[in-house]
Every structure is written in structure tokens, then in C-alpha cells.
Amino acid sequence: MFEVINLSCVRDERILFHGLSFGVAAGDIVQIEGPNGAGKTSLLRLLAGLSRPEEGEVQWQGLPIGQQREQWHQSLLFLGHHPGVKAVLSPLENLRFYHPDRHIAAIFDALECVDLLGFEEVPVAQLSAGQQRRVALARLWLSNAALWILDEPLTAIDKEGVEKLMMRFTQHAENGGAVILTTHQDLPESHTRLRKIRLTGMELI
């Protein structure tokens, strides 16, 4: 489904990683691990096509993502470390903006899944950090993308919310999708094809 080939990343004259290669198959949940500064967020941005590697290539279905941008964007849901929602809009308006093709009932179901019913008309700017994060995460119940790339999706989420998200990741994988994520929390290995890739950080150049 997805392949990383000899990927290298340099930031501020520092090699974050070099010659990184791995594949992601349908049904995989892949956790990117590593200390702060090891390049986890930089790697996810490279995988999503938001920045370019120093060396190497990222492929989707056997072709470089740069050669099939429209198909790639349709196949990808990327949620960065920041919520990435519009502060002046309500949760309902945000989800209707990002998923205009989804029925209003599906949007309300997604809001219920992230415990935001009752807040659907409140401007996002007035919500707590955890609630703002859950507005973005509600998209996981609306997206048809096969590959999810998620940077710290469990940040500012309570224990019950983490359990719901893990169930959603597992459901997506069991339905033939794949998830790549970073998180500081331990993920349960049962009922998933959980794999871990550890970045250790590298030398200055």
C-alpha cells in the first residue's frame, strides 16, 4: 500500500534520520517512536508530502506520491500536532467544511463519538484544548481515506477518549485501512497488527 525508500531528512544542519525504509500494508497500525527532536513530526510531514526529503522517495500503490497528487490526497487523511480546525467556526461547521459530501446525520454521529454533542454550535475558539483536538479527531469517523497519518492524536485526550480512538484505529485497520501515528502513550498490541519504528536522532553535519 505505502512504501518509504531510503528516506533521509536534514534540519538545521542536523541529520534526523538517514536511509530509512519501511512498508505499510493494509491492516497495519504503525507507531513512530523516538525522543524529542528525533524527527517524528518531520517524518510524518515527509510521508504526507508536505515537505521534501533530502534523499529517498515515498510511494503510494507503487508510484511516487509526487506523480499522483490528486489520487494521493484522496487516499490520505493527515492530522498534524495542532488541531488544524477553524477557530471562528463551530465543530459542526468545521466538519461540514471538511466533509461536505457527508450527510448531517453522519456528522452528528461523529460528534457523538468524540463527546461533543451539546457543543456543536459553540465557536471552536471557546472550547478547551482537548475539545478542539476532538473536533479534528471527529474526522476519523467521516473520512473515506485509506491511510491515516496522525501526529500525536492522543494529546489532551482523556482515558475514555483514548480507548475510543484505539477502537477506531483498530476498526479502520480491520476494514483494510492503515494508520501511521506518533504518540507518547503505550498502545495495546492486541487485536491489531501494531508495529513500531524507532527514530533515535543522528549527528550534526
Side-chain angles (χ1 to χ4, degrees):
M1 174 185 279
F2 186 70
E3 190 169 9
V4 174
I5 304 170
N6 294 321
L7 209 62
S8 298
C9 179
V10 175
R11 291 288 182 271
D12 299 324
E13 299 187 341
R14 179 170 172 261
I15 300 173
L16 297 180
F17 47 84
H18 175 71
L20 179 65
S21 297
F22 63 91
V24 178
D28 281 348
I29 298 177
V30 179
Q31 179 183 0
I32 308 297
E33 294 184 314
N36 290 337
K40 299 185 296 296
T41 292
S42 294
L43 174 58
L44 294 194
R45 290 182 60 83
L46 289 173
L47 300 186
L50 298 176
S51 57
R52 293 186 178 183
E54 191 75 12
E55 296 177 354
E57 190 171 76
V58 178
Q59 294 188 355
W60 172 252
Q61 305 289 14
L63 292 175
I65 59 175
Q67 295 181 13
Q68 48 171 338
R69 292 194 179 278
E70 183 175 352
Q71 181 180 351
W72 169 236
H73 291 155
Q74 291 175 351
S75 303
L76 171 70
L77 175 63
F78 175 80
L79 298 182
H81 184 64
H82 299 289
V85 293
K86 299 181 182 298
V88 298
L89 300 182
S90 68
L92 179 60
E93 290 169 333
N94 267 282
L95 296 179
R96 294 186 73 175
F97 173 80
Y98 283 113
H99 300 280
D101 57 325
R102 300 306 301 267
H103 193 276
I104 190 67
I107 293 177
F108 272 96
D109 285 345
L111 289 168
E112 182 177 12
C113 288
V114 295
D115 298 321
L116 283 177
L117 284 185
F119 297 92
E120 63 270 10
E121 299 287 359
V122 178
V124 166
Q126 298 179 21
L127 300 178
S128 69
Q131 288 172 324
Q132 291 183 27
R133 168 65 62 175
R134 295 205 299 270
V135 175
L137 293 172
R139 299 185 61 195
L140 300 178
W141 279 266
L142 297 170
S143 174
N144 292 320
L147 178 64
W148 297 349
I149 297 180
L150 313 173
D151 193 1
E152 296 290 347
L154 307 182
T155 297
I157 302 298
D158 59 23
K159 182 177 179 180
E160 183 181 353
V162 169
E163 292 176 353
K164 285 185 178 180
L165 285 169
M166 287 306 306
M167 291 177 60
R168 182 62 184 137
F169 297 160
T170 300
Q171 182 184 45
H172 183 61
E174 290 176 345
N175 288 336
V179 182
I180 303 173
L181 76 155
T182 62
T183 179
H184 292 294
Q185 301 194 32
D186 293 330
L187 301 181
E189 300 188 20
S190 60
H191 309 300
T192 72
R193 295 171 59 185
L194 178 65
R195 295 165 47 211
K196 296 185 178 182
I197 295 172
R198 183 164 182 82
L199 303 180
T200 58
M202 299 187 72
E203 72 275 11
L204 297 176
I205 59 173

